Amino acid sequence: LTFVIVGGGPTGVEIAGGLSELLQTLLADYPKLRQQSEVILLQSRDRLLVNFPEILSTYTARHLHRKGVKLQFSTRVKRVSPEVVELEDGRMISTVTTIWTAGVEANPATDTTDLPTARKGKIVVQSTLKIPNYANVYAIGDVAYVKLRDEVLAGVAPEALQQGEAAAHNILKQIRGESPQPFQYIDKGRAAIIGRNSGVVSKDELQLKGISGW
């Protein structure tokens, strides 16, 4: 009954909050089992939701703590086995259920000798999402390292969806003999549901938390 969630981004926060509420509901009539159950959220950074304003990160941590989620910051995972999560500092957490939400490494290209790469093996692309030195090859989504106006995109689904459309339009332009256009990302804001009647939203100057964020 120990559940370890690795990664304190929106996905990790939502799973931790939802799982805690689920256990409280399922085990309401079994207080001893409820006492034995644990939801542990491991975050490698010093706060949750690092792409959100700090005030929303603090609110999220406080709310998860009230739900009974055990938070561990500045904690990195070294190895996951079927029965144990081993941390880089040598500690062990016994669990048969580990949920990984800390992101993924890019699927390696067949030959990356001529490809500029960044963290997690992502391919550094041009503003058009084309791979340098390859006239007809694009990289998008988890395999692409996209930097716009001195800001590296976070690698979330809305970015990948817009990149897919942009790459498709640029491919059609190339077929017509036109020049591909730079990718322009429209940031619609960030949101995370912490639990029932509680969430956080960040869009420019707009910041919502609690039931309004939910």
Side-chain angles (χ1 to χ4, degrees), residues 64-158:
L64 286 177
H65 180 72
R66 285 203 301 265
K67 286 180 175 292
V69 178
K70 297 184 177 179
L71 305 174
Q72 296 190 26
F73 296 102
S74 302
T75 302
R76 301 186 69 87
V77 172
K78 180 179 181 181
R79 184 175 63 91
V80 177
S81 74
E83 296 181 348
V84 169
V85 173
E86 181 181 351
L87 306 181
E88 284 192 347
D89 61 10
R91 288 181 294 145
M92 303 281 191
I93 302 175
S94 297
T95 179
V96 295
T97 307
T98 304
I99 304 173
W100 188 274
T101 71
V104 296
E105 287 192 3
N107 191 44
T110 303
D111 183 3
T112 59
T113 304
D114 298 326
L115 300 180
T117 57
R119 59 186 180 83
K120 295 185 177 181
K122 293 176 182 285
I123 300 169
V124 179
V125 296
Q126 298 173 334
S127 62
T128 58
L129 303 178
K130 290 172 64 174
I131 296 176
N133 305 322
Y134 289 86
N136 301 314
V137 183
Y138 290 79
I140 63 174
D142 286 335
V143 301
Y145 181 87
V146 183
K147 188 174 183 179
L148 302 175
R149 297 180 296 276
D150 297 325
E151 181 180 358
V152 178
L153 296 188
V156 293

Side-chain angles (χ1 to χ4, degrees), residues 131-187:
I131 296 176
N133 305 322
Y134 289 86
N136 301 314
V137 183
Y138 290 79
I140 63 174
D142 286 335
V143 301
Y145 181 87
V146 183
K147 188 174 183 179
L148 302 175
R149 297 180 296 276
D150 297 325
E151 181 180 358
V152 178
L153 296 188
V156 293
E159 297 169 359
L161 290 169
Q162 293 184 39
Q163 289 169 23
E165 291 184 4
H169 286 304
N170 277 341
I171 290 170
L172 291 174
K173 283 182 176 294
Q174 285 191 271
I175 291 173
R176 294 193 296 264
E178 302 172 5
S179 299
Q181 297 299 305
F183 171 60
Q184 302 290 334
Y185 175 58
I186 301 174
D187 186 358

Side-chain angles (χ1 to χ4, degrees), residues 201-208:
V201 172
S202 176
K203 170 60 175 148
D204 299 328
E205 299 302 318
L206 176 66
Q207 297 178 20
L208 303 175

